[in-house]
Amino acid sequence: MSQPKSRDVYMVIGGNGFLGRHIVQQLLDRGDIVSVFDIVERYTDVPFYAGDISEQESVASALRKSGTTCIIHTASPHATLNNPALFHKVNVEGTKAIIAAAVETGVRKLVFTSSAGVVFNGQDVIDADERVPFPEVPMDAYNETKAKAEVAVLEANGKGGLLTVALRPAGIFGPGDRQAMTGLYQVYERGQTHFQIGDNTNLFDWTYVGNVARAHLLAADKLDTPPPAPPLSALEKMPTSLDD
Ligand code: NAD
């Protein structure tokens, strides 16, 4: 894998999760310095900072201690939880706290893991790219708060020299997954396999976790040579229905 021009010091927020751990592993594999900020402790091979992203001071303190220059923010409650208040606290307030802590401590780059679900409203989404607007009525609280977080991250681009990018994976599969396969197995265990949704031609995007992790590293590297800012007209098309 190619190296960024200047060596960053990375912090993977949510780095003890499924995707976050693969990102940590790939950073270690290419010889980068990386630490993890998470509410859960699982590994001992990188410096670990315990904390909740909705507490700006915890995040800022960890960023200072670790000397972080690039944050990769993958933290979120599981999409399957039925807890809108938690989604708002972590995804919206937590992401805003990360942005504020990053600006406060002079972090250069922020890569955010959004979700393909931010543009899903139950209808088919075919050949979509980043120009597709958010739906007027979000699919659910998880996707609504991921969209709000994404808007906050993109609006923070340039603030105090911070460069930001958001990625929208669809389904992620691979080693370390605690969500997708568990759900499928539960369906099997409950004997629910005789249901079929649609006419057996439905398609859904799944991406191998190693490839999603690699996309985060490439996005972080690419922030060193940011593309020209989008025209104002494109920014004006950002959703208004997601305002707080
Ligand atoms: P995961 O639950 O395995 O990892 C998330 C990590 O975030 C966990 O380690 C958790 O402890 C941590 N976390 C949660 N709340 C926190 C908080 N308040 N403060 C600090 N840490 C906190 O989930 P994942 O599947 O690895 O997903 C990673 C990211 O990718 C999420 O942002 C998710 O929205 C996004 N995503 C996942 C999928 C998928 O199929 N798994 C698809 C699209 C997008």
Side-chain angles (χ1 to χ4, degrees):
M1 198 180 292
S2 64
Q3 293 291 338
K5 278 183 200 148
S6 56
R7 287 306 275 260
D8 276 301
V9 175
Y10 293 86
M11 173 175 285
V12 182
I13 298 184
N16 286 341
F18 167 43
L19 171 63
R21 178 60 194 175
H22 280 268
I23 293 171
V24 169
Q25 198 61 60
Q26 289 192 12
L27 288 167
L28 289 175
D29 289 349
R30 71 177 197 182
D32 281 305
I33 299 170
V34 55
S35 67
V36 163
F37 184 99
D38 204 305
I39 40 172
V40 171
E41 185 165 13
R42 280 205 182 93
Y43 306 93
T44 53
D45 54 354
V46 293
F48 172 66
Y49 298 92
D52 188 316
I53 58 168
S54 58
E55 289 159 16
Q56 185 183 328
E57 254 328 295
S58 296
V59 181
S61 161
L63 291 172
R64 270 192 214 96
K65 282 183 194 152
S66 57
T68 298
T69 62
C70 177
I71 298 170
I72 301 183
H73 165 27
T74 70
S76 169
H78 271 189
T80 50
L81 294 175
N82 183 18
N83 193 336
L86 181 67
F87 287 139
H88 185 83
K89 179 177 176 237
V90 178
N91 290 343
V92 184
E93 298 310 325
T95 299
K96 286 180 179 172
I98 289 174
I99 292 167
V103 172
E104 181 189 331
T105 59
V107 168
R108 284 193 329 118
K109 303 193 221 172
L110 169 61
V111 180
F112 171 62
T113 318
S114 181
S115 169
V118 298
V119 291
F120 184 57
N121 67 354
Q123 303 301 310
D124 286 345
V125 181
I126 299 168
D127 292 339
D129 64 18
E130 64 274 24
R131 290 168 296 187
V132 173
F134 296 129
E136 277 175 28
V137 181
M139 191 62 195
D140 52 29
Y142 167 77
N143 285 299
E144 181 177 12
T145 57
K146 292 294 286 188
K148 284 181 177 174
E150 186 188 294
V151 170
V153 165
L154 296 183
E155 282 182 352
N157 188 47
K159 216 177 180 183
L162 183 68
L163 298 170
T164 68
V165 61
L167 303 179
R168 293 177 179 171
I172 307 175
F173 72 95
D177 159 51
R178 296 176 195 86
Q179 207 176 174
M181 288 310 292
T182 309
L184 289 176
Y185 191 72
Q186 280 168 356
V187 165
Y188 167 73
E189 273 192 326
R190 290 180 196 138
Q192 296 170 325
T193 49
H194 54 289
F195 295 105
Q196 177 173 301
I197 299 170
D199 62 2
N200 209 27
T201 59
N202 295 23
L203 294 175
F204 185 77
D205 276 337
W206 288 92
T207 312
Y208 177 66
V209 64
N211 293 334
V212 181
R214 181 163 153 74
H216 283 69
L217 270 62
L218 292 174
D221 295 350
K222 199 69 185 169
L223 279 176
D224 282 316
T225 50
L232 198 57
S233 56
L235 288 174
E236 279 163 359
K237 285 188 191 131
M238 293 300 256
T240 48
S241 58
L242 291 167
D243 287 349
D244 275 338

